[in-house]
Amino acid sequence: MVQVIENWADIEGEIQTVRDSELKGYKIIEVLVKDAKAVGNFPNLLEQRRGEVIPVYVPEPRAVTVQEAYDSGQSQVACRVRLAGPTRFFVHPEI
């Protein structure tokens, strides 16, 4: 198991896809990261991900809203995200 320090970044990007996740209660939103800004004193571990597509795990109730916006043609997204493992990114549950 890889230990990751507490970290947060406010990202802006473009939704590429919305799909089901292997984690119960989550969907994955694949985001092309355009910008990643630091949040307070937390390390910004997503800064080097600019220009990459990352899979962001989003709780289903919130993912439904994102899916509806994406299906209606809105692909821009802004959210607070943390790196939780080498390839796992989670949206902040309240922001």
Side-chain angles (χ1 to χ4, degrees):
M1 184 169 159
V2 175
Q3 196 74 1
V4 177
I5 60 172
E6 185 73 11
N7 67 95
W8 290 104
D10 285 335
I11 67 167
E12 294 178 10
E14 186 176 318
I15 300 170
Q16 304 296 296
T17 63
V18 179
R19 60 184 168 90
D20 290 333
S21 161
E22 74 284 0
L23 295 178
K24 184 178 171 122
Y26 286 86
K27 288 201 177 273
I28 294 174
I29 298 172
E30 292 185 337
V31 178
L32 172 59
V33 179
K34 302 282 186 167
D35 196 12
K37 295 180 179 142
V39 175
N41 291 325
F42 292 106
N44 180 356
L45 300 183
L46 280 87
E47 186 173 24
Q48 68 274 17
R49 302 291 182 147
R50 286 185 182 111
E52 292 182 25
V53 175
I54 63 170
V56 180
Y57 288 79
V58 179
E60 281 186 358
R62 186 169 178 191
V64 168
T65 303
V66 174
Q67 176 80 59
E68 289 170 351
Y70 178 68
D71 289 346
S72 69
Q74 183 177 1
S75 63
Q76 299 302 308
V77 67
C79 54
R80 185 162 291 173
V81 176
R82 70 181 173 93
L83 175 66
T87 59
R88 286 225 169 152
F89 304 88
F90 284 85
V91 74
H92 192 288
E94 298 170 5
I95 298 175

